[in-house]
Amino acid sequence: MEVEHPEPGVALITLSRPERLNAISAELIADLHGALEEVERDRAQRVVVLTGAGRGFCSGADLKASADGELTEGAGQSRLGAIYDMQLDLANLMLKIYELRVPVIAAVNGVAVGGGLAIALHCDVRVAASSARFGSVFIKVGLSSLDVGNSYLLPRLVGVGRARELMLTGRIFDAEEAERIGLVLRVVPDDQVVPAALEVARQIAANSEYGVWMTKLGANAALDAPSLRHAMELENRTQVLGTFTGNMTEASAAFRDRREPRWNPL
């Protein structure tokens, strides 16, 4: 795992198993958990850009490792227990991305299938390289397409009917289709995917810490709101609380003085 800080407030995290297209292993899960926890602790970090080293974003579960017996059971543990523990670790990783204090932008280069698709789905924004390929391929390995949040997020992003077709067929689809169905924000040349994601990160980081934090938290909560009224009640409290940060007053002063606002810290 590589963690860089290309500009103030932005953490660039790169999955780094290029020899296996950044396939998911126990080590990769643990390393990404650690990198995200580091961002969570550092209040100076405002946005994360997540990408993959080499030719792929993430090719999903490391089937070669499973075939070679690289997954080992702990003392007094069955193989079922070992696999279930790894599944829980992976599911908790997805939740960590989804619930992270700051937004996460996926810069999808190359293949993003299976667990790699799930990682991208749990990010707040997705930018794709023209070479990007996506697929809910869990069903192709004898399992189902119900895995680590896929069945929850994909229908909310692309619609129920389209999501079911993608999940039931497990077919691979390209970046152009991903943009057309609303899965990704935009498609850019391969060498521009990280710069494009950094540009989105820069726009987010220019807003107040409170505003970005509450927008991510509230948007996640509103997604599950049982009614419009419930969502509005959450919004009302969030907006009123926001007036006590002093940032609305600062925004008015900045507009009057024709300058950029100097946001108060959270």
Side-chain angles (χ1 to χ4, degrees):
M1 196 70 54
E2 299 175 10
V3 182
E4 304 169 82
H5 301 281
E7 51 192 78
V10 179
L12 173 60
I13 300 176
T14 304
L15 306 178
S16 191
R17 296 186 75 209
E19 72 284 357
R20 294 197 182 179
L21 294 177
N22 304 309
I24 294 169
S25 65
E27 183 180 5
L28 184 142
I29 293 171
D31 286 350
L32 187 50
H33 265 294
L36 294 172
E37 286 166 3
E38 181 181 322
V39 169
E40 193 78 69
R41 288 191 298 267
D42 185 355
R43 293 292 297 276
Q45 301 309 310
R46 301 289 312 286
V47 190
V48 170
V49 172
L50 181 61
T51 194
R55 297 182 297 108
F57 179 74
C58 176
S59 59
D62 193 339
L63 298 180
K64 184 177 185 300
S66 298
D68 292 346
E70 292 181 20
L71 177 63
T72 57
E73 302 87 43
Q77 186 179 44
S78 69
R79 185 158 182 81
L80 171 62
I83 293 172
Y84 196 81
D85 280 353
M86 184 173 175
Q87 179 76 14
L88 284 179
D89 284 344
L90 181 58
N92 286 331
L93 174 63
M94 300 300 173
L95 288 171
K96 184 166 288 181
I97 295 170
Y98 190 69
E99 297 173 350
L100 198 70
R101 176 180 56 84
V102 302
V104 182
I105 303 167
V108 182
N109 53 309
V111 65
V113 298
L117 172 65
I119 290 174
L121 292 178
H122 284 79
C123 294
D124 298 279
V125 179
R126 287 153 294 280
V127 177
S130 57
S131 65
R133 297 292 181 271
F134 303 86
S136 180
V137 299
F138 315 97
I139 202 167
K140 292 295 190 182
V141 297
L143 301 175
S144 77
S145 274
L146 311 179
D147 197 47
V148 291
N150 188 61
S151 64
Y152 179 86
L153 289 170
L154 191 57
R156 285 164 167 78
L157 288 167
V158 305
V160 174
R162 196 179 300 275
R164 290 193 180 185
E165 182 267 324
L166 294 173
M167 292 166 65
L168 288 167
T169 63
R171 68 179 177 84
I172 304 297
F173 55 101
D174 62 19
E176 181 181 345
E177 182 175 354
E179 183 180 30
R180 187 173 69 250
I181 65 178
L183 182 64
V184 302
L185 175 68
R186 64 175 177 268
V187 178
V188 297
D190 285 13
D191 62 352
Q192 290 299 306
V193 68
V194 170
L198 288 173
E199 174 56 29
V200 177
R202 201 173 297 120
Q203 294 175 35
I204 293 171
N207 295 317
S208 73
E209 183 182 3
Y210 174 85
V212 172
W213 177 42
M214 283 292 107
T215 297
K216 173 165 182 173
L217 194 66
N220 285 355
L223 197 62
D224 295 323
S227 71
L228 174 60
R229 183 171 295 278
H230 280 79
M232 282 187 173
E233 288 296 338
L234 175 63
E235 291 174 347
N236 291 343
R237 286 155 177 75
T238 302
Q239 295 299 70
V240 171
L241 185 62
T243 65
F244 287 88
T245 64
N247 283 323
M248 192 173 181
T249 301
E250 166 57 18
S252 297
F255 179 78
R256 183 189 62 237
D257 299 340
R258 297 183 180 181
R259 59 172 174 80
E260 293 298 318
R262 295 184 285 269
W263 304 120
N264 295 319
L266 184 62

